[in-house]
Structure formats: structure tokens, C-alpha cells
Amino acid sequence: MSKRQVAMVFDLNKCLGCQTCTIACKRLWTREEGMDYMWWATVNTQPGRGTPRDWEQSGGGFKDGVAQAGKLPTRQDFGDAWKFNHEEVFFEGKGQSAHLQVVGEQPEWGPNWDEDQGAGEYPNAYYFYLPRICNHCTHPACLEACPRKAIVKREEDGIVLIDEDRCRGYRFCMEACPYKKIYFNHVKKVSQKCIFCFPRVEQGVAPACARMCPGRVRFVGYKDDQNGPIWKLVEKYKVAIPLHPEFGTEPNVFYVPPVAPPRYDAEGNIDESKPRIPDEYLVSLFGPKVLDALAILKAEMAKTRAGGKSEMLDVLIAYQWKSMFGGLDRDPATIEWTKS
Amino acid sequence: MLVNFVRGAPVEWLLDPDAEPWRKVSLERVALVGTPVGLQPTPAIRAAWANKHIGAVSEVQVGAVHNGEVIAFRLDWQDGSENRELGDTTAFPDAAAVMIPVVAGAPLITMGAPNQPVNTWYWRGDSDTQGRQVLSEGIGTTRTVDQTLVRGHGIWKDGRWKVVIARPMKVTSAEKVVQLAPGEKTQFAVAVWEGSNSERGGVKAFSGSWRDLVLAPAADGGKV
Ligand code: SF4
Ligand code: SF4
């Protein structure tokens, strides 16, 4: 275990599914050769098959502390990188006549293929967005699977990084990560993954996905910082819980579960007898503790509705944008960045 | 195995499995076995391979020649698929390697041991001519020391690989790699990775035990 641990909390009640986080990450980190199909930050509609396709059923991780066999997703499963007629539309003077479209083989899957489909029947259909990054796990399956000790978990902040000089592209990490958050760069022949924007964190700047999020969804900070949002939401209020805790990797990304609007009955009246998002579904994602977290959240919401105050909801609302970053709130424009 | 001396053979010939020097070399059959699943270095690898067959290639024909300066090993084996690509996340390349102990008596199955290093010369289908020289002192300790001294070349035809892996016998290196000379005796082992069976790292077929290697003297003292 590292001395300290950076972490994130994603409030699923606020995520717009706008993909600003996804694009912020893409522009910053995955634009080089061999990275075309990579999305270190993803946002998928739940219920849904996710990215890569069916990752929740891909094995890996630990069961009662014992490593489990995992599957390797294909590029297709990740959604691949579609080729577009950019040249034609942007550079050949056909901006008015040609539509931007996929050229060559037409895709049958993509990184966000089942967006907004969700589940349930009108008027009780439901869905929510699930943003994901590498969880920078406390018990990282990727690190423990690598025979070359090419993956390190940093002492000072618990960020999990791949040493590309030691990596030989064996992809045992990719097989072992139950969240399928490792990508293979077939040009550099090494595995690559979310780096929690460590060069930014080292300068006191929150990761790009968090800073760019217009929904104020993504809280950042050190887990042990009692003045920061992570400790408050995870430890104090116990309203944020990890995704698939049964995978056994002890993730350091936590989620505030979604409270859906109420259901309607056959007569069109509000029916509070059962939730719109089935409890079983949320339990299948977050384990049984999700019901406690939802109860805590609903109780605080009832409190404020009755005119009371809730420090917990104040934290979640994030009136002050910078309060979300646990002190990692330095303006990146004040730093002179160099690329080595 | 005797390493024949081929006077005056340029390195380019040694690196071409179809070239003249190899025609006179009789290849020896070496049986290969899969590495034991229990010896795989991490629990995840052991879990992933618990019910899968390790070691898709069960035998290889091996020969070697030297020209007084460079030693070249030749490995031929049956393989229905030519795997050179790394295009998809699930694709693995075919590969082969020759291992020589740096210290006599170094254990083979664990790829050396502390203070008993072994030196491995790798060829991999996706980077055909550029080999890789590795040192290890036990499982999980492999370390690339250079990617320049070892050269290779593989030709796949009609369901068969013919691969050459070569290195100068004497090299200048800051690392404790193997140094050889004509007339010397040492040992060697070979390994083959079958890409279509997802073999990589410690998941491979290998020769199980060290075999003797005798370098024929260079009649003129090693100069050609
Ligand atoms: S989410 Fe996967 S890649 Fe990230 S630290 Fe955990 S096991 Fe490793
Ligand atoms: S930027 Fe924020 S609101 Fe938009 S998809 Fe990402 S997490 Fe959700």
C-alpha cells in the first residue's frame, strides 16, 4: 500500500453524459500513434454493455483474494478507431456537399454504441451515465499480474503507472484488470493506461477530466485529507462507494449512486412503492452497500426539503468549483509545461 | 551439438536460413516441453493458464555455425500460422530464443538464479531482424541489455519457420553477457513461443535441459 492515495468521487446524479471529460483526456494524452482507439476516460450509458463491450463479464481481478483468469478484449470490443472522410470535408472544398462519415468498413460497435438506450419501458424507462477511468487500485490486479514488474504504484500518491521501458507488451495486465482499463499500443508495442494526470497532480493541478467537467461531477483529492471532498464523501458520509467491489482490487474511484425520479403506475400516478432503477441492478454494479448510500442520500435530501441544512449535500452541490479538488486547484495556465 | 566453422562466411549469409552455409549443416531434433504452469511468475498468469495447454510447439530442429567471429543458431519448426502482427490487442507474435549460461551450472528452468545469470538471445516475428539480448538471474528478473548485438531473421514458408539468431561471439558490453571463442565448450537451451496460442513471456515451449555446445576451432585462429 502506498503512503498516500489520490482518489476521485463521481456523483452519478450530476453526470450529463457530455463526454467533455473523455475528450479532455483524449486531447491531452492519447493522440499519438497507436493510441487512436484509446479512451482512458469513458462515459457509458447504464444499463448497457459498456466499453470495452461486456467488460463486466470479462473476468480478472480477485475472488477471496485469489487471482482470477481474465479475457483480453479486442480492438473491436473497445470500439476501434473509425476512419472518417476528414480530408474530403475539411480540405477539399466539399464542406457544403459532403457529409462527414465513416469510410471503409462500416462499424458494428463503437466506444459509446448503446448510448441513451438504457432499460425499462415508457413511462418508467431509466438510464444513467457511468464515467470510468483506471481506479488506481489499492490492490491492483494489473500490477500483480505483470511478470516483468513493469507496473508501479507510486508511494507518494498511489498512482498506478506502466514503465514503458520495462513493458514487453505481454498484456497480462490487460487480461487481469477486471475493469478493462488497460490498452495496448500496437505501434509502441506496450500497454498504456490512465495516468491520473500525474504531471498535473505533481504541480497541484487536478486531472484534466475533473477540471473540464461542466457538471461538477468529478471530485479529486487525497483520501486521508479530512478537509477534502474524498474523505468527507467516502469516510464521513459514506455516500460514495466503489464500482464492483467484489472484483477485489480496492478501487480508488468512488461513486455517489443515482437517485432516479419516481415511477408512474398504470393510472399515471406517482408510485413510490418501488424505485425506477431496480435495486438489484444497482447492487449488481456497486454491491449491497449501494442501498445504504442511497438511503443516506435520500435522508439528506428530505432534510433540506424540510428546510434543514445538509453539509453533505453542500459538498455534493459544489457551490465553489475549487472545493472539488482537495487543494489540487492550481490554475494550469500559471505553469510552464515542458515535454521531455 | 557441434558448431561448425564456416570459413569466410559473411554475416549476411549466416543470417539467411536459405543461404549456402546452412546447406551443409545437419539439424538436430530437440524435443520441447511447455513451461510448468506452477512456475509461471504471477498468480494471474497461473490462473489464466491453469486449464490451457502451454507449449504448442513440441519440437524444433537446431543447428549452429560460426565464422570465427559471429555464431549463428538455426531453429526450424512446424507452425501452421505465421504470426508477425501486433495489430489487434489479442494478437501475439511467434518468437524464439537461445539461452546460454553466463556462469556454468546456472539453473535453466528458473532462467538463472541470483549470482548465476543466464544470457538469452531473442528473435520475435514482429521485429524480424532486430534481436534482443537479455540477462536474467531467476524468474521475473529478465532485463534487456541491448537491442543491437543480437540479430535475427525468420522465413515462414509452407507451414514451417526457419529462423536464425546470431551474435558476435565476443562482444564489448558493460554487462556480464556470454563471451565465446572458437574451440570452447558451453551449454545452450532453446525456447519457442507460438503466437496463435497467445504464448508470451514465461508461457512458452523450451528444451527442458541444457544441451552441450562445442564450438569448432577456427583453423586460422579465428580470423577470416
Ligand atoms: S483499474 Fe485496472 S488498470 Fe487500473 S489499477 Fe485497477 S487493476 Fe490496474
Ligand atoms: S464531463 Fe462531467 S458531466 Fe460530462 S460526461 Fe464527463 S463526468 Fe459526465
Side-chain angles (χ1 to χ4, degrees):
Chain A
M1 212 157 92
S2 55
K3 285 208 185 76
R4 293 195 85 191
Q5 179 68 54
V6 285
M8 286 208 204
V9 169
F10 296 164
D11 184 352
L12 300 183
N13 295 287
K14 295 167 84 182
C15 179
L16 318 161
C18 66
Q19 309 283 354
T20 309
C21 48
T22 315
I23 299 300
C25 177
K26 183 85 204 163
R27 289 190 55 88
L28 194 52
W29 299 120
T30 61
R31 297 178 76 188
E32 288 174 16
E33 262 202 306
M35 299 176 117
D36 50 1
Y37 80 104
M38 293 186 196
W39 302 96
W40 293 351
T42 50
V43 182
N44 286 113
T45 300
Q46 301 296 136
R49 296 175 72 182
T51 299
R53 182 164 49 190
D54 302 329
W55 65 271
E56 293 173 82
Q57 286 86 46
S58 64
F62 307 94
K63 198 174 189 173
D64 303 321
V66 180
Q68 301 292 303
K71 277 189 226 149
L72 279 178
T74 61
R75 276 178 71 101
Q76 291 291 334
D77 290 331
F78 281 107
D80 215 339
W82 305 348
K83 303 270 179 298
F84 290 88
N85 57 339
H86 287 131
E87 279 296 311
E88 188 183 24
V89 172
F90 296 124
F91 305 109
E92 290 175 8
K94 296 194 198 142
Q96 300 298 318
S97 56
H99 286 289
L100 190 66
Q101 58 191 349
V102 178
V103 295
E105 209 182 310
Q106 294 303 298
E108 287 169 7
W109 186 254
N112 206 16
W113 193 262
D114 52 6
E115 183 171 45
D116 291 358
Q117 287 180 7
E121 288 301 323
Y122 176 83
N124 292 317
Y126 62 90
Y127 67 72
F128 57 91
Y129 298 111
L130 183 73
R132 300 201 304 125
I133 58 170
C134 159
N135 295 298
H136 297 275
C137 304
T138 296
H139 188 191
C142 56
L143 179 151
E144 292 175 29
C146 176
R148 294 188 48 75
K149 301 186 178 77
I151 306 187
V152 292
K153 183 165 179 67
R154 305 207 306 181
E155 269 299 303
E156 63 272 32
D157 51 23
I159 294 175
V160 175
L161 296 176
I162 299 175
D163 178 345
E164 292 184 8
D165 293 328
R166 283 206 61 77
C167 177
R168 286 279 276 136
Y170 295 154
R171 290 157 264 172
F172 291 118
C173 55
M174 199 175 175
E175 241 171 48
C177 169
Y179 298 92
K180 292 293 167 269
K181 272 295 171 191
I182 300 226
Y183 293 79
F184 181 62
N185 183 320
H186 60 94
V187 176
K188 283 182 99 178
K189 303 179 182 180
V190 292
S191 296
Q192 295 177 321
K193 62 180 276 298
C194 159
I195 58 173
F196 209 92
C197 289
F198 76 87
R200 292 166 64 102
V201 168
E202 285 170 359
Q203 301 290 333
V205 183
C209 60
R211 252 191 97 94
M212 294 297 278
C213 173
R216 300 197 182 179
V217 170
R218 305 167 83 103
F219 296 85
V220 183
Y222 287 89
K223 251 170 122 178
D224 61 0
D225 173 10
Q226 301 203 359
N227 298 314
I230 307 297
W231 184 82
K232 285 182 186 160
L233 296 171
V234 175
E235 302 294 339
K236 186 174 178 191
Y237 304 121
K238 301 194 176 356
V239 72
I241 48 174
L243 176 62
H244 285 301
E246 77 282 10
F247 289 168
T249 64
E250 297 176 44
N252 288 303
V253 173
F254 302 86
Y255 294 86
V256 179
V259 179
R263 292 171 53 88
Y264 296 100
D265 65 16
E267 280 74 50
N269 298 314
I270 285 178
D271 172 12
E272 303 259 24
S273 68
K274 51 182 175 172
R276 178 179 287 244
I277 303 176
D279 283 347
E280 315 79 81
Y281 180 62
L282 291 177
V283 170
S284 77
L285 286 176
F286 301 104
K289 283 201 179 132
V290 72
L291 302 179
D292 304 333
L294 278 173
I296 292 165
L297 194 55
K298 284 180 185 163
E300 291 295 300
M301 288 165 78
K303 208 158 98 185
T304 53
R305 253 189 231 116
K309 274 200 160 312
S310 164
E311 194 206 350
M312 184 190 101
L313 288 186
D314 285 352
V315 172
L316 285 175
I317 290 165
Y319 291 105
Q320 298 298 322
W321 177 58
K322 287 189 171 182
S323 74
M324 299 185 66
F325 304 139
L328 296 168
D329 56 10
R330 185 166 170 198
D331 178 354
T334 63
I335 298 165
E336 207 172 301
W337 301 96
T338 51
K339 193 177 175 189
S340 61
Chain B
M1 186 173 77
L2 178 69
V3 185
N4 289 299
F5 171 59
V6 186
R7 182 189 304 275
V11 181
E12 275 56 44
W13 281 19
L14 299 185
L15 282 168
D16 178 359
D18 286 335
E20 176 67 25
W22 292 109
R23 298 209 185 121
K24 298 184 197 112
V25 178
S26 56
L27 303 180
E28 287 178 19
R29 176 184 174 275
V30 175
L32 303 182
V33 290
T35 44
V37 72
L39 273 187
Q40 298 304 324
T42 68
I45 301 176
R46 295 196 286 274
W49 288 85
N51 301 309
K52 281 194 271 181
H53 179 63
I54 298 179
V57 176
S58 58
E59 67 170 68
V60 52
Q61 311 287 325
V62 185
V65 294
H66 75 84
N67 65 2
E69 287 177 352
V70 171
I71 179 169
F73 287 86
R74 163 84 176 270
L75 288 84
D76 285 20
W77 69 94
Q78 299 278 5
D79 184 351
S81 56
E82 180 185 21
N83 304 108
R84 287 190 188 265
E85 295 301 318
L86 284 172
D88 205 337
T89 50
T90 48
F92 293 93
D94 293 329
V98 173
M99 185 187 280
I100 298 175
V102 178
V103 175
L108 165 65
I109 194 156
T110 54
M111 296 182 67
N115 299 317
Q116 291 181 294
V118 295
N119 188 191
T120 307
W121 305 349
Y122 275 99
W123 166 89
R124 209 165 86 171
D126 60 307
S127 48
D128 186 50
T129 53
Q130 185 185 39
R132 180 180 285 261
Q133 178 158 231
V134 165
L135 278 177
S136 60
E137 293 181 73
I139 280 176
T141 65
T142 52
R143 189 164 56 84
T144 298
V145 295
D146 69 74
Q147 294 180 60
T148 48
L149 294 171
V150 175
R151 294 171 66 189
H153 180 44
I155 296 173
W156 184 91
K157 205 170 161 244
D158 302 329
R160 205 169 168 79
W161 272 114
K162 290 188 272 187
V163 171
V164 175
I165 301 174
R167 204 205 73 174
M169 290 192 281
K170 282 237 174 318
V171 292
T172 314
S173 172
E175 302 280 353
K176 227 182 155 227
V177 296
V178 162
Q179 304 287 351
L180 299 170
E184 281 185 1
K185 273 188 195 165
T186 180
Q187 290 181 310
F188 78 104
V190 293
V192 174
W193 289 258
E194 176 49 52
S196 68
N197 191 37
S198 301
E199 293 182 0
R200 74 277 198 197
V203 178
K204 66 193 173 206
F206 78 122
S207 57
S209 55
W210 294 114
R211 302 172 72 92
D212 288 334
L213 190 71
V214 180
L215 284 76
D220 56 3
K223 288 278 168 273
V224 287

